[in-house]
Amino acid sequence: MKKDIETKEDVVILVNTFYESVKQHQRLGYIFNDIAKINWELHLPKMYSFWGSILLDEQSYSGNPMVKHIALSKITTLTEVEFADWLLLFTETVDSLFVGENADVAKSRAANIARLMLHKIQNVQVL
Ligand code: HEM
């Protein structure tokens, strides 16, 4: 029986599972592996903090994801298509592992942030 996202360990499982799928995804994997050449040992802990701050009131994340993704959009294709892929994968990952209030918060926050990011990417002319 699935439970909600309640602990740091749950967040780690969510993030690890999500990025395992991202790595293998045709379009997204290419962006992370070949364009951004992600250092996973640095990226994953950052994402534990990001989601821990949103879901567990951890307040451990400090960073500016908007600026990072606007910069990324200058060197690769980052459109509705890629964001829809990202969001579908994230939603599927949450649903495959968890159920409950925090699981719903994770999905709705992801959708809101994705929408805002895409809006900024499409509208910010100069960084
Ligand atoms: C098509 C969609 C997306 C792609 C391809 C993507 C890709 C990336 C890449 C390559 C990085 C590393 C950037 C760097 O270290 O320079 C990154 C960082 C990050 N992404 Fe995304 N991302 C996407 C959507 C999202 C969404 C919707 C969220 C939030 C819900 C998100 C949250 C973050 C955060 C928090 C970081 C860390 C930023 C920091 O360094 O503090 N991303 N993303």
Side-chain angles (χ1 to χ4, degrees), residues 19 28 31-32 36 38 43 46-47 50-51 61-65 68-69 72 78-79 82-83 86 109-110 113-114 117:
Y19 285 103
L28 300 178
I31 297 177
F32 279 84
I38 280 285
H43 184 65
K46 221 183 271 182
M47 300 313 295
F50 178 76
W51 285 109
Y61 176 75
S62 66
N64 192 331
K68 286 271 162 89
H69 294 81
L72 189 62
L78 217 48
T79 67
E82 287 73 21
F83 275 93
W86 190 103
R109 286 297 295 272
I113 296 168
M117 261 179 195

Side-chain angles (χ1 to χ4, degrees), residues 49-103:
S49 296
F50 178 76
W51 285 109
S53 299
I54 290 177
L55 300 172
L56 308 174
D57 289 330
E58 238 185 37
Q59 301 187 344
S60 58
Y61 176 75
S62 66
N64 192 331
M66 292 301 162
V67 168
K68 286 271 162 89
H69 294 81
I70 291 168
L72 189 62
S73 75
K74 310 281 182 199
I75 58 168
T76 192
T77 310
L78 217 48
T79 67
E80 296 85 343
V81 175
E82 287 73 21
F83 275 93
D85 286 343
W86 190 103
L87 202 55
L88 180 64
L89 213 52
F90 187 80
T91 302
E92 284 175 350
T93 306
V94 173
D95 287 340
S96 73
L97 295 168
F98 300 102
V99 66
E101 213 172 292
N102 256 355

